[in-house]
């Protein structure tokens, strides 16, 4: 177990709806990254938050947004859901105490958009 | 951006056999990570390699990074059913994101 938790574990939404996914980082970690993993693919980087500020973003549209709270937990919000948003959403926490920090992943939230 | 190619895409081996998974980058790797994923679950960190020629081992799994830092291999000795899963290599782009290969699905037959 990594100490990174995510909720909910599963979610079903319909096209056009909005969704919020949550992540609690491992104790002592102040950086959270979010990834989207489609079936049969590797995770794709969405964005990273460090000390409540966005600290890097992948090739995802603005309807993917996030927040990080003072306790370093984080939310991923997706507006105007599309069918292609169906995927496993993973968050990972890390602590930039060295040049290369290891990311520890949560179990993921599986989102299905109908 | 850095592309990571993994091979093979899938692998079926008999329990007790050795196997190797490869990860090749289009650019020099600053940090190469190996993760294992059970179907539909989160990623479990295995090892991180940083220096050219570096080799690390954990139990029966050994990972190497070549001298040019553009290719890594993951070797499992005497495979067991518990080794089954999807193995993913990831690389830090030095730009606050991590790129992953598509994964190698390993099945170990008892």
């Amino acid at each position: 177990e990594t100490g990174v938790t995510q909720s909910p574990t599963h979610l079903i939404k319909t096209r056009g709806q909005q969704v919020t996914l949550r992540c609690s980082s491992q104790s002592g970690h102040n950086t959270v990254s979010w990834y989207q993993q489609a079936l049969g693919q590797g995770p794709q980087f969405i964005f990273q938050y460090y000390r409540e500020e966005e600290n890097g973003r992948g090739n995802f549209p603005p309807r993917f947004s996030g927040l990080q709270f003072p306790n370093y937990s984080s939310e991923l919000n997706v507006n105007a859901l599309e069918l292609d948003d169906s995927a496993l959403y993973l968050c990972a926490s890390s602590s930039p105490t060295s040049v290369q920090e290891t990311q520890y992943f949560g179990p993921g939230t599986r989102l299905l958009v109908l | 951006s850095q592309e990571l190619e993994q091979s093979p895409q899938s692998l079926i081996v008999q329990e007790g056999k050795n196997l190797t998974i490869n990860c090749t980058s289009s650019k020099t790797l600053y940090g190469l990570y190996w993760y294992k994923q059970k179907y539909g679950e989160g990623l479990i960190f295995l090892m991180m390699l940083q220096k050219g020629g570096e080799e690390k081992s954990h139990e029966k799994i050994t990972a190497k990074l070549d001298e040019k830092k553009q290719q890594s291999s993951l070797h499992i000795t005497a495979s067991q059913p518990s080794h089954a899963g999807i193995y993913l290599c990831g690389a830090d782009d030095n730009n606050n994101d991590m790129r992953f290969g598509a994964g190698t699905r390993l099945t170990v037959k008892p």
Side-chain angles (χ1 to χ4, degrees), chain B residues 48-66:
Chain B
M48 190 267 276
L49 303 165
Q50 209 172 332
K51 299 175 185 175
E54 187 174 9
E55 179 176 321
K56 287 186 178 178
S57 293
H58 176 66
E59 296 179 345
K60 293 184 179 180
I61 301 176
T62 300
K64 300 178 185 179
L65 182 61
D66 76 342

Side-chain angles (χ1 to χ4, degrees), chain A residues 30-113:
Chain A
N30 55 14
T31 302
V32 174
S33 302
W34 284 92
Y35 294 84
Q36 180 195 67
Q37 187 179 22
L39 205 59
Q41 302 292 321
Q44 298 289 318
F45 175 73
I46 303 175
F47 44 57
Q48 183 185 84
Y49 277 82
Y50 170 66
R51 291 186 175 179
E52 304 176 57
E53 297 285 334
E54 189 177 287
N55 190 40
R57 189 179 181 93
N59 191 25
F60 279 80
R63 61 189 184 84
F64 285 78
S65 63
L67 279 174
Q68 188 178 31
F69 301 99
N71 66 355
Y72 304 131
S73 65
S74 177
E75 286 183 355
L76 164 65
N77 299 290
V78 187
N79 293 322
L81 284 166
E82 300 177 0
L83 298 180
D84 285 349
D85 294 335
S86 296
L88 180 69
Y89 287 85
L90 296 161
C91 78
S93 75
S94 58
S95 180
T97 55
S98 61
V99 174
Q100 298 287 345
E101 70 269 17
T102 299
Q103 296 190 4
Y104 294 91
F105 284 78
T109 293
R110 183 162 294 282
L111 172 65
L112 178 61
V113 182

Side-chain angles (χ1 to χ4, degrees), chain A residues 15-35:
Chain A
R15 204 168 40 178
Q17 285 189 309
Q18 178 265 342
V19 70
T20 297
L21 309 181
R22 294 178 176 84
C23 172
S24 291
S25 58
Q26 188 176 96
S27 177
H29 286 182
N30 55 14
T31 302
V32 174
S33 302
W34 284 92
Y35 294 84

